[in-house]
Structures are given as C-alpha cells and as structure tokens.
Amino acid sequence: MFLRWAFGFCSAFFFAFPALAQNTRIANFTYAGSGCPVGSAAGVISPDQKALTVIFDQFEAHTGPGIGRAANRAFCQLAVDLRFDPGWQVAVFDATYRGFADLEAGVQGLHETSYYFSGSPLTSGPLTWSMIGPFTNNFSRTDTFTTSVWSECGTVRPLNIKTSLYVTNRLAPASSGVLTNDTTDVQVRIEYGLMFRPCPGP
C-alpha cells in the first residue's frame, strides 16, 4: 500500500494563445483548500508568462481502518489571474490530470473538477471520473467540454479551477486506499470577441 510516496506532485497549466493575443499573460495565481493548505504548494510562472507550474506536497485523500472521515476528501482551488484585452474571451478547452491511486478491493476513488470565472454564474462541471479497486498504478484523465464557459465580454476576471479527491471504503470497511493528484495540464483558448465571438452591443 501507499507506493505513491516515490512520486512528486506537480501541476502544470499551459495557456495557448493565437498570434493576435500576444499581450495575454498570466500575472499571478493563488491557491486554497484542504489539499493545498498555505505553504504546501509552490508555483513558477514561465518567462513568457504563458505557463504556470504548481507543485503540491499534500494533495491526497485516504481511507481505511483507523483513518478519520475528514481524510477521505481533499480539494484545492486555483485562481489564475489572467491579463488580456477585455475585447477577447477566454475558455478552457482541455484539461488533463495525472495522479496515483492505491485502492484495495472494494475501495472507490473519485476525481472531480469544476471551472468558472469569478463573478460568473456559469460553471463547467463538475466533471467526475471514478475507479474501484483493486487498483495500484498511475492514472490519467482528460476533461472535455461539450459546452464551454467563456469569460464575460468587457471585463477580465480570474479563472477558477477546483479539483476534489474522494475515497471511500463503505463497501469494504476493512480495506484501505489513497488517491493523489500529481500533474494537471490545462489549456485555455483565447478568441477575439469581434472576430470569432462577437460581444453584444451596449
């Protein structure tokens, strides 16, 4: 059990922009949650400010005999502070997550994500992926969106990405399990409002 300790935690956010949006950049980011308490994550913005790498060291959920229910869940919310011309709109179009799971027979793990812009009532998700043990291996999942949530025209607000982990041994109380989130690759698409996605007039 718990073979994951040999692996590191890394979340990388890659932002791909059309040539006309060269002024778009990642200005900053913040994080909060039970899976990423203050001081447990570190991030680096690339020199061209188009990519963000965040490294976690506590983003995992556990279950098993003697483990309290509070350890069954963990979440982390990233707020990515983008800078771009408000005449453009932003939407997440691809998000791939990689992690590690060590689940004994009957133990279930769930990985869930939601995406939204601050101040907007629209949300992509929650998108959920699950597995049931026995399972001991790395895993990879990709979120795809049938309907994209776009940033509002005329304003620039943070992109929020909330990731949640949950493990339960309800069907096998004597069994144990752990689920981690190691790497996240997120791409956003920038489309010029007047050309591809016209904003409504006043």
Side-chain angles (χ1 to χ4, degrees), residues 40-52:
S40 69
V44 177
I45 297 174
S46 65
D48 64 0
Q49 296 186 291
K50 298 295 192 290
L52 166 65

Side-chain angles (χ1 to χ4, degrees), residues 12-14 91-98 111 113-115 127 140-145 159 161 163 183-188:
F13 296 84
F14 298 102
V92 178
F93 71 89
D94 182 83
T96 299
Y97 297 84
R98 300 178 182 88
H111 189 287
T113 50
S114 296
Y115 309 82
L127 303 176
S140 175
R141 60 162 292 201
T142 298
D143 285 345
T144 55
F145 306 92
L159 168 65
I161 305 169
T163 304
T183 303
T184 305
D185 300 310
V186 176
Q187 297 185 63
V188 298

